Amino acid sequence: MPVQINEVIVRAVVNPAPGSTGTASQPECPPAGNSGSDADLQERILEIIKEKTER
């Protein structure tokens, strides 16, 4: 028997004063090694969208 989820609850905690922890002032960036896979991921997503519109 299939199960259908009608509601999803998402909770997040936001730090109201990010500069008060004493960490570096620069925002965190993803590692540089992932930049090549981003283009591949984007291309794959566009292909999936195109396939869905063709149906």
Side-chain angles (χ1 to χ4, degrees):
M1 177 178 217
V3 176
Q4 181 177 355
I5 299 173
N6 293 328
E7 183 178 343
V8 176
I9 299 173
V10 178
R11 296 182 184 174
V13 177
V14 178
N15 186 2
S20 66
T21 59
T23 59
S25 62
Q26 295 179 347
E28 294 182 20
C29 297
N34 291 339
S35 62
S37 63
D38 289 343
D40 295 335
L41 179 62
Q42 181 182 10
E43 183 178 337
R44 180 66 182 137
I45 290 171
L46 291 174
E47 287 176 6
I48 292 171
I49 292 172
K50 184 178 177 182
E51 289 174 6
K52 286 187 176 186
T53 57
E54 289 176 355
R55 292 182 190 172

